[in-house]
């Protein structure tokens, strides 16, 4: 039996550089985003709809929350990586500016609820990500009220430094490679078992695989 078959899948996640500094992941899903490029002195244009992986992380527990970080990445573009990092002092400024009716401790749950709404009700709840030509970007959560669009909340993002992007790409590459090795090891185990118990069935399976591969 291949050694990697026994590899604990959870240990792959433990290699995630996002949690290397003490943060823990509380949300990790693909969310439909409208991606827009903002150019100075140019009219705002409709963006492209893409699936963006949104990861919400927290530092500290619910009774002593120290910091919140939201990471955005994309399977379509490995070099797409943005972060929104905020502590309580930074949140208070946003709370006053945007007239938010939630406290810092509730902010992660509010973010998660809005992201989930964009997944469940994409026609009425929109996530618009506006990227500027520099490192800055903005995520607007917008609700379509039929007669008008209402901006619910806005979050400031920055493009991640090249070093962080490289660490993330390395992690994703190694994670995929490890899972592939695990599946190949598992396939080898199944082949050996079927070969032992029913060799003719194995031949049928191999022929079937070859015929599918030739299509």
């Amino acid at each position: 039996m291949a050694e990697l078959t026994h590899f604990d899948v959870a240990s792959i996640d433990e290699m995630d550089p996002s949690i290397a500094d003490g943060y823990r992941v509380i949300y990790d899903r693909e969310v439909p985003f409208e991606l827009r490029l903002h150019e100075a002195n140019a009219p705002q244009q409709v963006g492209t709809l893409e699936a963006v992986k949104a990861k919400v992380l927290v530092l500290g527990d619910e009774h002593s929350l120290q910091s919140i970080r939201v990471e955005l990445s994309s399977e379509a573009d490995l070099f797409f990586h943005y972060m929104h990092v905020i502590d309580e002092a930074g949140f208070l400024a946003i709370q006053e500016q945007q007239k938010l009716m939630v406290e810092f401790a509730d902010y992660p749950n509010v973010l998660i609820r809005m992201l989930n709404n964009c997944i469940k009700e994409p026609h009425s709840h929109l996530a618009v990500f506006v990227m500027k030509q520099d490192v800055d970007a903005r995520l607007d959560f917008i609700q379509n009220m039929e007669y008008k669009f209402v901006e619910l909340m806005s979050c400031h993002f920055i493009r991640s430094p090249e070093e962080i992007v490289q660490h993330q790409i390395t992690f994703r590459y190694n994670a995929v490679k490890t899972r592939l090795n695990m599946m190949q090891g598992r396939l080898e185990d199944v082949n050996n078992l079927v070969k032992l118990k029913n060799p003719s069935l194995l031949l049928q399976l191999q022929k079937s695989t070859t015929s599918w591969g030739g299509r």
Side-chain angles (χ1 to χ4, degrees):
M1 183 174 290
E3 182 180 352
L4 280 170
T5 306
H6 297 291
F7 194 96
D8 184 1
V9 177
S11 63
I12 297 177
D13 296 329
E14 291 174 2
M15 298 186 298
D16 189 348
S18 297
I19 62 174
D21 50 1
Y23 281 80
R24 57 187 175 90
V25 179
I26 61 171
Y27 183 87
D28 189 354
R29 294 186 71 182
E30 280 197 339
V31 184
F33 273 42
E34 182 183 327
L35 302 183
R36 296 181 183 176
L37 284 174
H38 174 77
E39 297 182 7
N41 304 319
Q44 187 67 264
Q45 298 181 353
V46 176
T48 58
L49 191 64
E50 293 188 23
V52 171
K53 188 175 184 180
K55 186 185 294 184
V56 180
L57 306 98
V58 295
L59 184 63
D61 55 39
E62 57 184 6
H63 302 295
S64 59
L65 191 60
Q66 300 173 40
S67 178
I68 301 163
R69 185 167 74 225
V70 182
E71 298 182 2
L72 302 179
S73 59
S74 170
E75 290 299 324
D77 181 1
L78 291 177
F79 293 89
F80 176 96
H81 199 277
Y82 285 81
M83 291 192 297
H84 165 69
V85 184
I86 193 167
D87 58 12
E88 188 165 9
F91 175 77
L92 291 176
I94 294 177
Q95 183 185 48
E96 182 178 352
Q97 181 183 8
Q98 300 188 32
K99 311 299 181 189
L100 300 180
M101 303 299 291
V102 296
E103 300 301 323
F104 179 61
D106 300 320
Y107 187 48
N109 290 330
V110 171
L111 287 168
I112 290 172
R113 186 166 64 248
M114 290 193 174
L115 291 167
N116 281 336
N117 285 341
C118 294
I119 297 173
K120 292 185 250 182
E121 304 174 68
H123 298 295
S124 58
H125 288 79
L126 314 174
V128 179
F129 192 66
V130 183
M131 297 167 286
K132 300 180 181 178
Q133 291 179 317
D134 54 13
V135 300
D136 289 310
R138 188 183 74 247
L139 174 60
D140 296 329
F141 290 104
I142 299 172
Q143 185 172 0
N144 183 355
M145 305 291 289
E146 294 186 4
Y147 56 91
K148 68 175 180 177
F149 289 92
V150 177
E151 185 176 303
L152 304 176
M153 190 172 70
S154 182
C155 307
H156 175 254
F157 279 77
I158 59 170
R159 190 167 60 234
S160 302
E162 184 177 347
E163 181 182 4
I164 290 179
V165 175
Q166 290 179 354
H167 286 163
Q168 290 289 339
I169 292 175
T170 301
F171 162 68
R172 290 159 74 180
Y173 172 83
N174 288 334
V176 170
K177 186 177 179 181
T178 299
R179 289 188 174 96
L180 177 61
N181 287 335
M182 290 171 61
M183 293 305 296
Q184 288 176 333
R186 178 59 180 156
L187 179 61
E188 184 180 342
D189 292 341
V190 172
N191 279 340
N192 291 336
L193 182 61
V194 175
K195 183 178 181 180
L196 180 65
K197 300 289 186 181
N198 194 334
S200 61
L201 176 59
L202 178 61
L203 289 174
Q204 292 178 26
L205 291 173
Q206 290 173 339
K207 288 179 181 178
S208 175
T209 302
T210 303
S211 62
W212 274 103
R215 292 186 181 180

